[in-house]
Amino acid sequence: MTRDDIDQKIFLDEIQKQEDQQIVEGIAHMANVVDAHNDYFSEFGIKKFYDMMETAIKDGREVIDGQHDRIAKDNTVINHYISDGKSPSSLTGKVYPKTCHIVAIKVHDKDEWEKWKTKKYNAFSWDFMARVIKRKAVISFAKQVFTKTSADDGHEHHAWLFYDNDGNFVKGYTSPELDSNGILHNHMIKNVTNTRENSHGKHRVL
């Protein structure tokens, strides 16, 4: 979980903690959503990685490190599943978006737990070797997309995203809304996953 990797991840505020049991649960990855490295996984890819993780757990080969340092920490995977968008987590009651790989771990080490509590660790991130195969495809896409942002600080925004003729993101902005202090504000959108941060915070683009 490197901080550079984490900065643009879509699931920062999805991390759920059960402090009395030192359990952390959150999204490891979501299908068809571009990440900070401009990559994405299909639903097939999410299922494939779920199967790989399931096999590693059964074989006792799963390793949970910190910030991709490749040093195993004293953590145990206690649950992982692919969300259906409707069923709540048996651990936290959270309903996650459809086709997310959800991971829950028990943090045994108190120093490691402190890093989760202080948000030095604030997301899950896969670490693996992959072979990228380039393919050409003919696709159709909308040059303007209307969506919404995550609900943060007690409010959310409508959002508009604009793309060029090649499908590249050009710009975006949100609707003006009131924050928790009753101040009307809006955000510019810096990429397809996040608004720009300002004095009112920032949001994920859904």
Side-chain angles (χ1 to χ4, degrees):
M1 295 166 285
T2 65
R3 300 201 71 82
D4 288 342
D5 289 346
I6 286 170
D7 182 55
Q8 296 187 60
K9 283 186 179 298
I10 60 170
F11 34 75
L12 291 182
D13 64 348
E14 300 291 355
I15 288 291
Q16 308 290 307
K17 300 187 186 75
Q18 291 188 349
E19 303 222 3
D20 57 331
Q21 301 181 59
Q22 295 188 186
I23 290 174
V24 184
E25 176 185 272
I27 298 174
H29 222 300
M30 182 186 294
N32 302 316
V33 174
V34 178
D35 64 17
H37 303 288
N38 205 33
D39 296 321
Y40 72 94
F41 282 85
S42 65
E43 293 186 20
F44 173 82
I46 296 289
K47 178 62 166 61
K48 185 71 174 177
F49 199 87
Y50 168 88
D51 291 341
M52 291 169 59
M53 188 170 181
E54 184 71 9
T55 300
I57 292 172
K58 289 179 179 178
D59 294 344
R61 294 186 289 104
E62 85 277 14
V63 174
I64 303 172
D65 63 10
Q67 297 184 321
H68 295 309
D69 61 9
R70 305 293 178 89
I71 300 173
K73 304 299 189 293
D74 189 12
N75 302 314
T76 302
V77 177
I78 58 175
N79 192 29
H80 79 117
Y81 65 97
I82 297 176
S83 57
D84 62 9
K86 298 179 292 184
S87 303
S89 162
S90 60
L91 286 172
T92 64
K94 171 78 176 180
V95 177
Y96 293 95
K98 187 177 180 181
T99 325
C100 295
H101 184 203
I102 310 303
V103 175
I105 65 172
K106 170 76 172 181
V107 183
H108 302 287
D109 185 86
K110 291 188 180 299
D111 290 338
E112 287 295 297
W113 179 245
E114 189 64 24
K115 292 175 183 178
W116 281 105
K117 289 177 64 176
T118 58
K119 296 187 178 181
K120 181 175 182 181
Y121 297 163
N122 58 3
F124 290 112
S125 177
W126 292 347
D127 184 14
F128 57 93
M129 297 294 292
R131 181 165 58 99
V132 178
I133 301 174
K134 292 185 177 181
R135 292 287 187 267
K136 290 185 178 181
V138 177
I139 61 172
S140 59
F141 61 90
K143 293 180 65 176
Q144 298 182 25
V145 174
F146 177 66
T147 181
K148 65 178 183 178
T149 71
S150 59
D152 302 289
D153 189 34
H155 69 283
E156 64 183 19
H157 299 261
H158 295 297
W160 291 265
L161 288 75
F162 299 88
Y163 298 82
D164 63 20
N165 290 331
D166 295 320
N168 299 307
F169 174 72
V170 177
K171 64 180 180 179
Y173 55 85
T174 71
S175 61
E177 305 292 344
L178 297 176
D179 65 13
S180 59
N181 295 315
I183 299 175
L184 190 67
H185 70 286
N186 69 336
H187 299 265
M188 299 302 294
I189 297 174
K190 68 176 183 178
N191 54 46
V192 295
T193 61
N194 285 280
T195 66
R196 290 191 182 278
E197 187 168 11
N198 58 26
S199 59
H200 306 278
K202 68 178 181 178
H203 300 263
R204 291 183 295 108
V205 178
L206 304 178

